[in-house]
């Protein structure tokens, strides 16, 4: 039975969380409840414990199983975390990473996508910090179930009432479906720049930060995939949930990626591979001189084109294209040249997205279709991209099995 943690904070609407806990149980979840101190002023943990048959967690030092650190334990075991009702205080603390009570600590330790149903006074909801917190949480993949307009406890009319329970359950089930859309698939991601050495202290490289590749690895993991991640040098920490290969050069990237290709169902090439490398690497350090100097460059192997030749027949491959402007036709030509099934196009003439930025805006081009993500956080873009690639992979699989069936029938 999937495990759901319901985080209840101190809005007047927290009495509705009692029904919500039961609704989630009816939807097939084992429900455990964590309450903030303020929530306990409105409803007692005993009520939730009786309704759910599970012990509640309330204090940050609660330790039902000694030595297991309950906030980490609950966060790891949860298939889904729902904050409903989520007050301004809870939202702001979770967004800022302040785990000063049990519920906030669980939410910060939780690595999947959170469902958030805000409930508060309209002015608190409209306030800058709360709006910023909602934006931050959404950029990190949270699903926000918007509150309703109506008369709130203070007697005002406005936005801020907790969404109907049915909507919160529906959003949670939709997220659970999305979280399974790559279940059982193995995803290979290339990411970051490569560094092509000139001598022992200098190299050719580019401005890729690796953020998009990390977002794709994380998104693939939250959608249930097993992830292999081949990355050039970046300042980002390794994604904890992936098998990581750290490489420097295009040649090393090719070797590491080839070692994974035989296992990959889906390949996403987000790396900004240097197209050329110095013909010779100088031992030690090139010395300064007064004469002009020419650097001879050799073309690097095309990593994704090589992967396309060695991939499993059922594998679906997506490359990226950096285009100044729309570039959809160029992308389609690249699709054929590299032997991939899709190309995600970045408009590199825009300063507000792509290279080094935290946001992106992708166009996904296949032989038969075009789709646009709109401008979003890189994680949101990655989720959007993988949803589309999962659908393409299913379509291709359906096509292949139909062809096999036709073959079997001897038609
Ligand atoms: N790529 C690769 N190996 C290379 C070069 C590129 O795997 N040696 C992959 C990148 O990871 C990316 C895509 O190919 O998925 C980018 O293709 P590329 O031909 O480099 O195109 P652009 O960077 O868009 O630029 P251009 O073709 O204009 O040079």
């Amino acid at each position: 039975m999937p495990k759901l943690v319901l985080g209840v904070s101190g809005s007047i609407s927290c009495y509705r969380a009692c029904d919500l806990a039961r609704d989630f149980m009816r939807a097939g979840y084992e429900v455990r409840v964590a309450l903030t101190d303020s929530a306990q002023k409105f409803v007692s943990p005993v009520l939730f414990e009786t309704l759910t048959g599970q012990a509640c967690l309330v204090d940050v030092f609660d330790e039902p199983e000694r030595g297991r650190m309950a906030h980490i334990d609950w966060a790891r075991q949860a298939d889904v975390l729902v904050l409903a009702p989520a007050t301004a205080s809870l939202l702001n603390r979770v967004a800022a990473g302040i785990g000063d009570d049990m519920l906030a600590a669980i939410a910060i330790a939780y690595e999947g996508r959170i469902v958030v149903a805000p409930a508060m006074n309209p002015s608190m909801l409209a306030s800058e910090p709360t709006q910023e917190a909602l934006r931050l949480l959404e950029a990190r993949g949270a699903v926000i179930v918007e509150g309703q307009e109506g008369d709130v406890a203070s007697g005002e009319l406005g936005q801020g009432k907790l969404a109907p329970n049915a909507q919160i359950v529906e959003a949670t089930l939709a997220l659970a479906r999305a979280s399974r859309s790559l279940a059982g698939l193995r995803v290979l991601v290339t990411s970051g720049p490569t560094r092509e050495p000139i001598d022992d202290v200098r190299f050719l490289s580019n401005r890729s930060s690796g953020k998009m590749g990390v977002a794709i690895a994380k998104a693939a993991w939250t959608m249930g995939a097993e992830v292999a991640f081949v990355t050039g040098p970046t300042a980002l920490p390794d994604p904890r949930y992936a098998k990581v290969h750290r490489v420097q050069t295009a040649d090393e990237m090719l070797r590491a990626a080839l070692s994974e290709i035989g296992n990959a169902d889906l390949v996403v090439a987000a790396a900004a591979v240097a197209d050329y490398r110095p013909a010779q690497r100088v031992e030690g350090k090139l010395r300064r001189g007064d004469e002009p100097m020419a650097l001879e460059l050799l073309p690097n192997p095309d990593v994704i084109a090589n992967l396309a030749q060695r991939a499993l027949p059922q594998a679906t491959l997506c490359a990226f294209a950096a285009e100044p402007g729309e570039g959809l036709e160029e992308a389609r030509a690249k699709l054929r040249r590299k032997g991939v099934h899709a190309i995600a196009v970045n408009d590199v003439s825009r300063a507000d997205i792509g290279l080094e930025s935290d946001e992106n805006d992708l166009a996904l081009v296949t032989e038969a279709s075009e789709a646009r993500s709109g401008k979003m956080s890189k994680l949101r873009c990655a989720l959007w991209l993988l949803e589309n690639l999962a659908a393409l992979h299913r379509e291709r699989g359906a096509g292949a099995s139909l062809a096999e069936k036709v073959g079997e029938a001897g038609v």
Side-chain angles (χ1 to χ4, degrees), residues 106-393:
I106 293 171
I108 293 161
Y110 183 68
E111 294 187 64
R113 301 175 65 191
I114 303 179
V115 177
V116 176
M120 66 197 76
N121 171 278
S123 320
M124 293 175 86
L125 181 62
S127 75
E128 232 173 88
T130 306
Q131 287 299 313
E132 183 57 21
L134 284 168
R135 265 195 300 279
L136 271 174
L137 292 171
E138 194 166 36
R140 293 178 196 147
V143 173
I144 314 288
V145 190
E146 298 284 350
Q148 291 176 297
E149 207 172 290
D151 53 329
V152 294
S154 55
E156 291 164 70
L157 194 71
Q159 193 79 22
K161 285 174 85 74
L162 183 66
N165 285 5
Q167 266 178 33
I168 302 171
V169 173
E170 184 44 49
T172 306
L173 294 177
L175 177 60
R177 273 195 300 281
S179 309
R180 283 194 302 272
S181 53
L182 293 180
L185 296 187
R186 293 157 305 182
V187 176
L188 168 61
V189 182
T190 69
S191 178
T194 63
R195 277 185 188 171
E196 311 297 332
I198 299 170
D199 61 16
D200 288 356
V201 290
R202 303 182 181 91
F203 51 78
L204 291 179
S205 191
N206 57 63
R207 283 168 48 209
S208 166
S209 63
K211 287 179 186 168
M212 192 65 218
V214 167
I216 292 166
K218 172 151 200 199
W221 173 78
T222 61
M223 291 163 75
E226 210 180 287
V227 183
F229 185 67
V230 180
T231 179
T234 68
L236 303 174
D238 286 346
R240 212 173 47 71
Y241 30 78
K243 178 176 172 196
V244 179
H245 300 256
R246 282 231 168 229
V247 299
Q248 296 282 324
T249 64
D251 264 329
E252 288 171 17
M253 182 169 277
L254 177 61
R255 244 176 288 138
L258 282 177
S259 75
E260 295 288 349
I261 192 65
N263 289 322
D265 301 291
L266 199 63
V267 181
V268 186
V273 185
D275 286 322
Y276 294 89
R277 65 176 182 278
Q280 278 170 358
R281 176 188 176 146
V282 174
E283 292 279 325
K285 197 177 155 205
L286 261 181
R287 292 293 168 185
R288 180 189 154 77
D290 294 330
E291 295 301 309
M293 187 173 72
L295 196 59
E296 192 189 347
L297 300 178
L298 297 177
N300 266 332
D302 188 321
V303 177
I304 186 66
N306 274 279
L307 293 177
Q309 283 171 8
R310 309 278 184 87
L312 297 169
Q314 74 272 18
T316 300
L317 292 93
C318 174
F320 269 71
E323 297 294 344
E326 292 269 296
L328 300 188
E329 271 323 301
E330 289 83 346
R332 222 165 244 132
K334 207 166 276 180
L335 186 96
R336 293 173 205 132
R337 211 165 54 237
K338 293 185 185 268
V340 297
H341 306 97
I343 296 255
V345 187
N346 267 317
D347 181 349
V348 283
S349 64
R350 282 173 59 181
D352 60 328
I353 54 163
L355 282 170
E356 295 168 317
S357 138
D358 289 326
E359 294 190 306
N360 216 339
D361 187 349
L362 297 177
L364 185 66
V365 177
T366 68
E367 204 53 76
S369 67
E370 278 165 31
R372 288 184 174 281
S373 68
K375 186 175 160 184
M376 298 190 280
S377 73
K378 285 190 168 168
L379 181 65
R380 286 260 158 203
C381 274
L383 290 162
W384 173 87
L385 175 66
L386 290 174
E387 276 302 337
N388 279 279
L389 294 178
L392 178 63
H393 187 69

